[in-house]
């Protein structure tokens, strides 16, 4: 319970610090698939893409929004308890992998295979195994920017 309250406090602070300046008229709360911007397709991830994540892992920081890229290492079974999450591991450096918990109640499933390259934006949470990425979807309340996963020329958020 204390962890949930702490997380709510952190999220409230994030919301207060990063207000969405866009209006909320015409809000569509369904998951959306967005075409990527030019130049972002089929890029090979480099460790320099992941500097903020690597530094967060080394300093054991959590609850920070980061962008990065990596190679899908393993596809895990979906978590269907409560909010449904697509789970998979992504290698971002020779020393670090991330566990992704991509909310598929708020965003489309990403059609992944081992060896695929992905780019992403989400909230990083430290753990000793490399960390967890979540919030890889839009914010249905539009209070924060939210995140995304880019794969094979498509953006999933």
């Amino acid at each position: 319970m204390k962890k949930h309250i702490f997380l709510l406090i952190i999220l409230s602070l994030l919301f207060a610090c990063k207000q969405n300046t866009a209006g909320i008229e015409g809000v569509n709360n369904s998951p959306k698939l967005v075409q990527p911007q030019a130049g972002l397709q089929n890029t090979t991830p480099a460790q320099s893409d992941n500097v903020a994540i690597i530094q967060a892992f080394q300093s054991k920081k959590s609850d920070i929004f980061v962008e990065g890229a990596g190679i899908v290492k393993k596809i895990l079974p979906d978590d269907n308890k409560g909010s449904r999450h697509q789970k998979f591991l992504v290698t971002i450096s020779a020393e670090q992998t991330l566990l992704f918990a991509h909310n598929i109640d708020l965003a489309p499933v990403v059609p992944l295979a081992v060896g695929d390259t992905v780019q992403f934006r989400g909230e990083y949470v430290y753990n000793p195994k490399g960390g967890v990425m979540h919030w890889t979807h839009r914010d249905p309340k539009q209070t924060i920017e939210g995140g995304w996963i880019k794969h094979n020329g498509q953006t999933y958020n």
Side-chain angles (χ1 to χ4, degrees):
M1 184 67 168
K2 289 181 183 180
K3 286 183 181 179
H4 293 289
I5 292 171
F6 179 72
L7 183 58
L8 286 173
I9 291 169
I10 295 297
L11 287 174
S12 296
L13 290 172
L14 282 172
F15 296 155
C17 293
K18 197 164 190 176
Q19 291 289 326
N20 186 346
T21 59
I24 60 172
E25 297 174 27
V27 172
N28 179 353
N29 288 329
S30 62
K32 60 183 179 177
L33 181 62
V34 180
Q35 293 298 323
Q37 298 173 349
L40 293 178
Q41 300 173 1
N42 299 324
T43 57
T44 303
Q47 189 163 335
S48 61
D49 295 336
N50 301 313
V51 169
I53 305 165
I54 293 166
Q55 289 174 344
F57 175 66
Q58 290 170 345
S59 59
K60 300 181 181 181
K61 290 186 179 177
S62 285
D63 306 320
I64 57 172
F65 272 86
V66 294
E67 291 186 20
I71 306 294
V72 176
K73 177 180 180 176
K74 186 173 184 178
I75 308 294
L76 301 169
D78 290 350
D79 178 0
N80 292 314
K81 295 179 184 174
S83 295
R84 298 175 310 130
H85 288 81
Q86 178 181 11
K87 295 174 78 177
F88 53 97
L89 296 175
V90 172
T91 301
I92 63 162
S93 73
E95 299 81 27
Q96 189 174 356
T97 59
L98 297 174
L99 169 63
F100 276 70
H102 178 63
N103 188 320
I104 54 177
D105 285 335
L106 296 174
V109 170
V110 184
L112 297 171
V114 171
D116 287 354
T117 299
V118 292
Q119 292 175 291
F120 55 87
R121 171 178 159 60
E123 187 176 41
Y124 174 81
V125 177
Y126 170 81
N127 75 26
K129 293 184 177 184
V132 178
M133 287 297 302
H134 69 114
W135 268 98
T136 54
H137 55 82
R138 64 180 170 71
D139 176 10
K141 295 182 180 179
Q142 293 192 334
T143 54
I144 62 173
E145 184 179 340
W148 41 260
I149 296 174
K150 294 180 181 179
H151 173 260
N152 283 343
Q154 301 291 320
T155 301
Y156 300 83
N157 66 343

